[in-house]
Amino acid sequence: MNKNSNRFRLRSVVAVVASALAATAAWAVEPFTVRDIRVEGLQRVEAGTIFASLPLRVGDTYSDERGSAAIRALFDLGLFKDVRIDVNGNVLVVIVEERPTIADVDFVGAKEFEKAALQKALREVGLADGRPYDKALADRAEQELKRQYVSRSLYNAQVVTTVTPIERNRVNLTFTVTEGDSARIREVHIVGGKAFSESTLLSLFDQDSGGFMSWYTKSNQYSRAKLNADLETLRSYYITRGYLEFRIDSTQVAISPDRKDLSVTVNITEGEKFVVAGVKLNGNYLGRDDEFKSLITIKPGEAYNGEQVTETTKAFSDYFGTFGYAFARVQAVPDIDRVNNRVTLTLQAEPSRRVYVRRVSVGGNNKTRDEVIRREFRQFEASWYDGDKIKLSRDRVDRLGFFTEVNVETQEVPGSPDQVDLTVNVAEKPTGSLQLGAGYSSAEKVALTFGISQENVFGSGNFLGVSVNTSKYNRTLSLTTTDPYFTKDGISRTISVYHTTTRPYSTNIDGDYKLVNQGASIRFGVPFSEVDTVFFGVGLERYAFDPNTSTSFSGLFTPPSYLRYFQCEKDATGLFVTGCDQKSVWGVPLTVGWGRDSRDSALIPTTGRLQRANLEVGVAGDMQYFKTNYQYQQFFAINKQYTFAINGDVGYAKALGSKVYPIFKNFYAGGLGSVRGFEQNSLGPRDVPLIGQTEGAALGGTKKAVFNAELSTPFPGAGNDRTLRLYGFFDVGNVFGSRAPGLTDEQYKAQKKLRASVGLGISWISPLGPLRLAYAIPVKSQKEVLDPATGFIVIPKDRIQRLQFQIGTSF
């Protein structure tokens, strides 16, 4: 061995092998003092990264052991495919071969999962653009992809990883997926059930052997997570019916040889049915035993019900929380008498310690400002912990509509047993929308629409919206902005500017006349309590009437009531309009409203109540009147499947002083959202028929009364999917007003009679918004009446429309 040039060279694929080779090398290097360190082979990695990781420095003594440690340290970085060390005199030469860098990650044939979601998942484990390529990570990613496909019942899915080298030591990574067909559940069996039939138990499962709605629900696609949820539902079903010792012994899932069919077998032991003998309290109840007893929902003498036990213990914990005991422990301890099949429950309570909130933190709000969330909180920092205020705070944040999830976590403060921190975790959803296209409703036919809105402008919580509608009967251009916290006390402010062109429904000749409304308004919402808001507003509006006197048919097809209101003049024949004294009217409406909403959901409510009241008074200008209406909705959850709802809507309006009530301010009824089965806004008073008409135009009325009742359930075959529901309904109502000149008593009485209908419908929370379709059968309607002498129609029949649909209608 040359004294001036000693070479020591180690090659290894992994650090352990490199170390072993160094330890057993035939030519060992005598220790020496390192005079210099050089690095060769770098392309993208900085030399500083090498020097920072080496356990050797200039001036240190080099040895075989320290050389092996240096190689291991560099391999641990995960940046190099090969590392070796050469010794040239007193100089160390570190020679590295970098791993190739990933230039692109792509997926071919992946349809079950979004490509962006897959790329994000791989990025979290280190496989992403610009990262060093690691074959071990790629292999693990391939296996994880296969596992995810198995969870979607795609047992035949194949994943092949292709690594394509490109220039500058880079590679393209491609995962080619052949998904194949998903395995279907052929049969599901529950073995061991005696108290209930197998069909009854299987009806509880979301997963089944399939039905005519399986294309939508995918209920026959096996999922372990869904099966676990079904098993918990099964367990809950038994425990709520007294089977305290029910257990699931095993679950077997068998797959056919062609991997296309599955069979699921669940083995259970029911045990005996137990009855509650009594309920006792034990522990510290803060001297409020009677108050806690009033929260007990467990009923002695009835079958043991696990839901009642859970509900009671939760109510106890929540009630302790209202006094600041955030960590109260409440446990239901059963004393089982297996001889008589009876159980006595002891509610053991330990309030632990009283705490106050040190800090409230907000997380997950990448766009929404902290203050938008914090101003909804009613639990303040440095105040005693209050469970009711925390729940109210969470609900208020959720009702903002900016988040898909809102959770509040309580964390103990280390070293401070009387303090807790609250963390509000939110998951934001897109709050802006841009709509451009065409729509269709059974009442208004084809309509072109454009809208742009942002419910959370720049994360401030403010609303800004612009909408354009070009429908046949209503053309609209409006701009609306809302500041929900115009003042620090939570007073909201809404400003609206609008321009609409309206053609009343049931017009026989399109383009005969039109009503143009222009205006602006400002409204303030004042919260008087946590559930009550009162609104005050003022507006300025103008209505311009155009009977289209430029045509030779002017006035022939215009309702006389509109001509009378705008004081229109006719020619000598009394048929054609020559002009109107009041081409337009203007007014200053003042509005006062009140709202209270305790529903559990705005889109799919199952419990709670909604009330609205509004008063509009025209105080100046040509229009002086008052108009008021009140709406009441109540929802009752009969069980997890069925919801019963009622809706009442009444209104009354009248002119003030000697003024004439503005006809275009009338109430209307008929159609979706009112009395289904009748054409939209076709009920109530009608004008006298014009030339060639058998019935006059619908005018609406100054009084309104509508009642609706609905019973809804998830659509058959859709499982527990609440977004698609089937409902049955009963509607009754009408609008009422003064008799138009020229109508007989008989005709007027026919218009005032209540209308009613029954039917079935489907509601769906579609990507475009809530969609409702209804098929109604009128059970109380006006039939056609003929004059026996002339054969002419004396009283026309109602406009019936059995099938109706619309997007955005609630009742």
Side-chain angles (χ1 to χ4, degrees):
M1 183 179 299
N2 192 319
K3 183 177 181 181
N4 295 325
S5 178
N6 295 322
R7 281 196 173 278
F8 167 60
R9 184 170 181 173
L10 297 175
R11 294 182 180 271
S12 175
V13 177
V14 294
V16 175
V17 176
S19 179
L21 290 174
T24 59
W27 49 87
V29 176
E30 296 179 3
F32 64 91
T33 301
V34 178
R35 180 172 56 85
D36 190 17
I37 300 176
R38 296 200 308 268
V39 180
E40 296 179 359
L42 292 180
Q43 294 181 351
R44 292 180 179 83
V45 179
E46 295 291 336
T49 303
I50 302 291
F51 292 123
S53 302
L54 282 175
L56 285 167
R57 299 290 184 269
V58 174
D60 290 348
T61 300
Y62 177 83
S63 64
D64 292 342
E65 291 76 13
R66 300 191 73 173
S68 299
I71 291 175
R72 284 197 298 269
L74 294 180
F75 269 115
D76 288 342
L77 292 175
L79 301 174
F80 307 111
K81 184 166 60 175
D82 190 20
V83 178
R84 67 180 187 268
I85 294 178
D86 283 355
V87 177
N88 187 1
N90 292 335
V91 177
L92 287 184
V93 182
V94 180
I95 304 172
V96 297
E97 183 180 353
E98 292 185 6
R99 292 182 182 275
T101 301
I102 299 174
D104 182 50
V105 179
D106 194 15
F107 297 87
V108 177
K111 301 176 182 178
E112 187 72 15
F113 301 96
E114 292 289 339
K115 184 180 294 187
L118 294 175
Q119 289 174 334
K120 180 181 178 182
L122 292 189
R123 189 180 301 113
E124 292 175 352
V125 299
L127 285 178
D129 301 356
R131 301 280 186 88
Y133 168 68
D134 187 331
K135 186 178 185 307
L137 284 179
D139 291 342
R140 286 211 301 270
E142 182 178 310
Q143 295 304 315
E144 178 61 21
L145 279 175
K146 292 180 180 179
R147 194 185 69 80
Q148 291 298 326
Y149 275 104
V150 168
S151 71
R152 297 286 182 94
S153 300
L154 293 165
Y155 291 92
N156 290 319
Q158 300 294 323
V159 181
V160 177
T161 306
T162 303
V163 181
T164 306
I166 60 176
E167 72 279 359
R168 302 200 316 271
N169 195 28
R170 296 182 302 157
V171 296
N172 287 333
L173 196 58
T174 303
F175 293 91
T176 303
V177 181
T178 304
E179 293 183 339
D181 296 327
S182 60
R184 309 292 179 178
I185 298 176
R186 185 179 69 253
E187 56 185 1
V188 182
H189 292 294
I190 299 178
V191 179
K194 300 177 182 178
F196 308 101
S197 66
E198 185 179 32
S199 61
T200 299
L201 299 178
L202 289 176
S203 67
L204 304 173
F205 282 24
D206 282 341
Q207 293 194 125
D208 53 35
S209 56
F212 73 96
M213 284 296 293
S214 296
W215 62 270
Y216 173 76
T217 64
K218 295 181 172 39
S219 62
N220 61 343
Q221 292 189 11
Y222 173 76
S223 166
R224 184 65 197 179
K226 287 185 178 181
L227 178 59
N228 289 337
D230 287 339
L231 296 179
E232 287 304 313
T233 302
L234 179 65
R235 189 191 312 277
S236 176
Y237 185 82
Y238 270 96
I239 291 179
T240 56
R241 286 160 176 76
Y243 294 87
L244 178 60
E245 297 181 318
F246 169 84
R247 69 176 184 270
I248 297 174
D249 298 317
S250 63
T251 304
Q252 289 96 33
V253 179
I255 187 169
S256 62
D258 60 4
R259 306 175 73 85
K260 292 183 178 180
D261 294 319
L262 291 170
S263 62
V264 180
T265 303
V266 181
N267 298 287
I268 65 174
T269 299
E270 292 181 333
E272 298 295 330
K273 185 175 182 178
F274 290 88
V275 174
V276 176
V279 181
K280 299 185 295 184
L281 300 186
N282 189 27
N284 180 7
Y285 285 92
L286 311 177
R288 302 173 182 268
D289 292 41
D290 292 338
E291 296 176 24
F292 278 92
K293 286 179 181 178
S294 67
L295 302 176
I296 296 176
T297 58
I298 306 169
K299 300 176 182 178
E302 296 186 2
Y304 175 89
N305 189 324
E307 287 185 357
Q308 292 178 353
V309 174
T310 302
E311 181 181 340
T312 299
T313 55
K314 184 179 185 303
F316 278 25
S317 298
D318 292 344
Y319 198 55
F320 274 118
T322 61
F323 300 107
Y325 296 93
F327 304 107
R329 293 187 293 272
V330 181
Q331 185 179 7
V333 182
D335 182 10
I336 301 175
D337 178 3
R338 292 184 175 81
V339 176
N340 300 306
N341 289 344
R342 299 172 69 82
V343 58
T344 300
L345 295 171
T346 301
L347 298 175
Q348 183 72 38
E350 175 53 52
S352 187
R353 60 194 181 277
R354 193 179 186 191
V355 298
Y356 67 90
V357 176
R358 183 187 69 164
R359 182 183 299 119
V360 177
S361 303
V362 179
N365 54 322
N366 299 320
K367 175 184 176 182
T368 306
R369 302 173 189 172
D370 276 14
E371 64 174 326
V372 174
I373 299 174
R374 288 182 178 276
R375 66 193 183 190
E376 301 298 330
F377 248 66
R378 297 300 179 261
Q379 170 67 65
F380 301 114
E381 296 176 339
S383 297
W384 288 113
Y385 178 98
D386 190 322
D388 285 346
K389 289 183 178 179
I390 293 173
K391 181 180 183 302
L392 174 63
S393 301
R394 196 216 73 85
D395 292 344
R396 287 180 64 89
V397 174
D398 199 9
R399 282 198 291 265
L400 289 174
F402 305 156
F403 313 108
T404 57
E405 294 181 11
V406 179
N407 297 306
V408 180
E409 297 179 358
T410 302
Q411 301 169 335
E412 298 184 60
V413 177
S416 300
D418 61 342
Q419 297 181 34
V420 295
D421 287 339
L422 298 181
T423 302
V424 187
N425 294 309
V426 299
E428 292 182 318
K429 70 175 184 180
T431 55
S433 63
L434 175 64
Q435 183 180 6
L436 177 63
Y440 183 88
S441 75
S442 55
E444 300 196 17
K445 312 306 178 187
V446 176
L448 298 177
T449 59
F450 169 80
I452 181 170
S453 66
Q454 175 55 257
E455 298 177 7
N456 188 14
V457 179
F458 306 120
S460 64
N462 295 348
F463 170 84
L464 176 64
V466 178
S467 64
V468 178
N469 190 327
T470 63
S471 74
K472 179 179 179 181
Y473 296 109
N474 294 285
R475 299 192 176 187
T476 304
L477 171 62
S478 68
L479 171 66
T480 303
T481 177
T482 299
D483 183 353
Y485 275 80
F486 178 63
T487 68
K488 293 183 179 180
D489 298 328
I491 296 177
S492 65
R493 182 195 64 187
T494 300
I495 299 175
S496 297
V497 181
Y498 51 88
H499 178 102
T500 65
T501 301
T502 304
R503 300 180 187 277
Y505 291 97
S506 303
T507 300
N508 282 19
I509 302 297
D510 293 341
D512 182 48
Y513 68 97
K514 62 183 178 182
L515 189 67
V516 179
N517 175 214
Q518 301 163 329
S521 66
I522 183 170
R523 187 177 69 162
F524 297 92
V526 182
F528 276 70
S529 72
E530 295 294 347
V531 294
D532 296 287
T533 302
V534 177
F535 300 93
F536 303 92
V538 61
L540 176 64
E541 57 185 359
R542 174 180 175 269
Y543 286 86
F545 179 66
D546 180 9
N548 202 3
T549 56
S550 62
T551 69
S552 58
F553 298 100
S554 173
L556 285 178
F557 303 103
T558 302
S561 295
Y562 280 83
L563 298 177
R564 284 193 300 272
Y565 181 80
F566 286 96
Q567 302 173 14
C568 299
E569 298 177 357
K570 296 185 178 182
D571 62 7
T573 67
L575 296 176
F576 303 104
V577 175
T578 58
C580 300
D581 291 344
Q582 280 187 297
K583 293 184 178 180
S584 65
V585 294
W586 68 277
V588 179
L590 300 180
T591 57
V592 179
W594 166 76
R596 172 181 288 181
D597 190 353
S598 62
R599 298 175 298 173
D600 59 344
S601 171
L603 290 178
I604 316 171
T606 57
T607 61
R609 180 185 302 120
L610 170 66
Q611 297 181 79
R612 295 192 186 108
N614 190 71
L615 172 64
E616 180 180 322
V617 182
V619 297
D622 303 311
M623 299 181 293
Q624 297 183 24
Y625 63 96
F626 78 88
K627 179 181 180 181
T628 183
N629 71 286
Y630 173 73
Q631 183 182 22
Y632 178 93
Q633 291 183 1
Q634 181 78 50
F635 297 85
F636 307 90
I638 299 176
N639 53 36
K640 290 183 177 180
Q641 282 192 316
Y642 294 98
T643 300
F644 180 70
I646 58 174
N647 174 71
D649 191 358
V650 295
Y652 179 76
K654 186 178 181 181
L656 296 176
S658 60
K659 296 289 185 179
V660 178
Y661 183 79
I663 189 172
F664 36 78
K665 292 284 186 178
N666 278 344
F667 297 104
Y668 288 88
L672 284 170
S674 181
V675 184
R676 285 159 282 200
F678 299 87
E679 277 196 14
Q680 194 79 25
N681 294 355
S682 66
L683 297 182
R686 290 184 174 275
D687 217 331
V688 293
L690 300 174
I691 296 175
Q693 294 181 333
T694 59
E695 59 181 301
L699 299 175
T702 55
K703 305 179 187 68
K704 176 183 180 181
V706 173
F707 173 81
N708 314 94
E710 282 188 6
L711 179 66
S712 64
T713 182
F715 197 86
N720 292 324
D721 184 1
R722 294 178 58 203
T723 64
L724 181 64
R725 298 181 70 82
L726 176 70
Y727 63 90
F729 60 85
F730 169 73
D731 297 339
V732 61
N734 205 345
V735 292
F736 315 91
S738 58
R739 181 172 64 184
L743 291 181
T744 66
D745 290 342
E746 185 181 10
Q747 290 171 328
Y748 181 55
K749 288 180 181 178
Q751 293 175 2
K752 294 199 306 181
K753 293 179 181 178
L754 289 175
R755 299 332 193 234
S757 65
V758 296
L760 294 174
I762 298 173
S763 66
W764 177 39
I765 308 301
S766 73
L768 298 177
L771 183 148
R772 290 170 74 87
L773 182 146
Y775 182 82
I777 301 175
V779 295
K780 190 172 183 181
S781 61
Q782 178 60 51
K783 308 300 181 182
E784 189 175 78
V785 177
L786 302 177
D787 186 334
T790 63
F792 292 134
I793 297 175
V794 178
I795 301 176
K797 63 181 179 180
D798 286 330
R799 295 190 171 209
I800 305 300
Q801 195 175 55
R802 295 180 184 272
L803 184 64
Q804 297 173 316
F805 74 91
Q806 196 164 3
I807 294 179
T809 303
S810 59
F811 237 95

